[in-house]
Structures are given as structure tokens and as C-alpha cells.
Amino acid sequence: MRIEKGVVVVAYKEVRRNHRYLVLKRTKNWEGWELPKGHLEEDDYRETVKLELGEEAGLSEEEIEDIKDMDETLEWTFEDDGEEIKREYKAFLVEISEDAIIDVSENPHDEHETGFFLDYEDASSLLTYDNQAEILERGKESLE
């Protein structure tokens, strides 16, 4: 079994003293809603978080205010051309500046159609996979 490492990001911003969480509508390979995520680049998790937020949501490094390791790993397996693949994605809680706007138009891989910062209930209800909803819930709990 091949193991692929990466990051999954619970990105949030504070709007009028309420947290809003970033969700993206995926259209490449499958359709649904997800948290920002991606393969580990050059064995540097924090740089990968910045890269993925830039690529997938159009967020600049200047708009990233804080990155915290959640000490959680999202794991799942799937089959690709008869090969079993396991993904191990470290979770990060990332604070985004209040005035940041999502722009998926420059996504180099055309993975996402759109993205929004939503309140917890709306963001959680949209997520396609339960394991991402659980990571979102843990991120929310750590902010309370």
C-alpha cells in the first residue's frame, strides 16, 4: 500500500465576533464540499498549508494570520488502478484576516468551482465527508 501525506485545513476568520469557516465546492474527480487540503510539498507542513490556501482559495500569505497544528490526522484509503492508497493528512487550524475574500479563479488544477466562509452549522452541513466534518468540529471546539 502506498502512503501519501498531506494537510487538511480548518481555515476560519472572525466576522462581527463570530467565526466563519472556509468550505470549497469541489468539481474535479468528484463533486461535493470539502475543506482545503493537499499533498505534502517538500516535507514542510506549514508551507504546504500556505501553498494550498493560495492555490485552492486564492488567499495570500499576508492574509494568513496564524497556523496551529491540531494534533489530528485525517486518514482514508482508496483504490487507484488496482493499487490501494492510504492518505494521512495532518490537520491545521488557520486564522485568516477578516477582510480576506475567496477567489478560486486562479486554481491551477481547476479543483473547485467556488468557496465561502460560512458559520459552523452551514459549513458542517455542506461537507461531503464525515471525517472532514469531525475535523471541522474539533477546530471549532478549540476556538471556544
Side-chain angles (χ1 to χ4, degrees):
M1 176 184 333
R2 186 172 85 216
I3 296 176
E4 297 178 351
K5 296 186 181 292
V7 300
V8 60
V9 180
V10 176
Y12 72 95
K13 65 179 178 175
E14 197 167 311
V15 178
R16 294 183 293 281
R17 294 188 304 269
N18 295 304
H19 295 118
R20 299 284 186 258
Y21 300 90
L22 175 58
V23 292
L24 299 168
K25 184 171 188 207
R26 187 175 183 93
T27 54
K28 184 178 179 182
N29 299 330
W30 60 274
E31 289 191 26
W33 291 87
E34 68 176 349
L35 299 173
K37 62 179 179 37
H39 295 292
L40 181 63
E41 301 289 334
E42 299 183 29
D43 277 342
D44 190 324
Y45 286 98
R46 289 181 180 278
E47 286 303 312
T48 301
V49 166
K50 294 174 192 175
L51 178 69
E52 292 302 327
L53 287 172
E55 286 183 357
E56 295 188 355
L59 296 169
S60 69
E61 278 195 48
E62 293 76 29
E63 293 173 308
I64 297 171
E65 295 185 351
D66 192 27
I67 300 174
K68 292 182 181 160
D69 188 334
M70 292 177 62
D71 294 321
E72 303 268 351
T73 302
L74 197 63
E75 296 181 359
W76 71 98
T77 58
F78 64 97
E79 198 170 293
D80 185 26
D81 288 332
E83 180 182 17
E84 190 171 11
I85 299 169
K86 180 179 184 182
R87 290 209 169 142
E88 298 175 350
Y89 280 31
K90 279 180 66 78
F92 290 85
L93 184 64
V94 179
E95 184 176 5
I96 304 298
S97 64
E98 184 177 350
D99 59 344
I101 297 171
I102 303 308
D103 178 8
V104 299
S105 66
E106 298 298 318
N107 186 328
H109 306 293
D110 291 326
E111 293 175 273
H112 302 101
E113 176 181 298
T114 192
F116 301 103
F117 279 102
L118 301 173
D119 66 32
Y120 170 76
E121 289 76 18
D122 290 338
S124 180
S125 70
L126 280 177
L127 290 172
T128 301
Y129 293 106
D130 290 342
N131 60 356
Q132 289 193 22
E134 290 167 12
I135 289 290
L136 177 64
E137 181 178 12
R138 289 189 196 110
K140 174 189 165 281
E141 288 170 354
S142 73
L143 293 172
E144 294 175 342

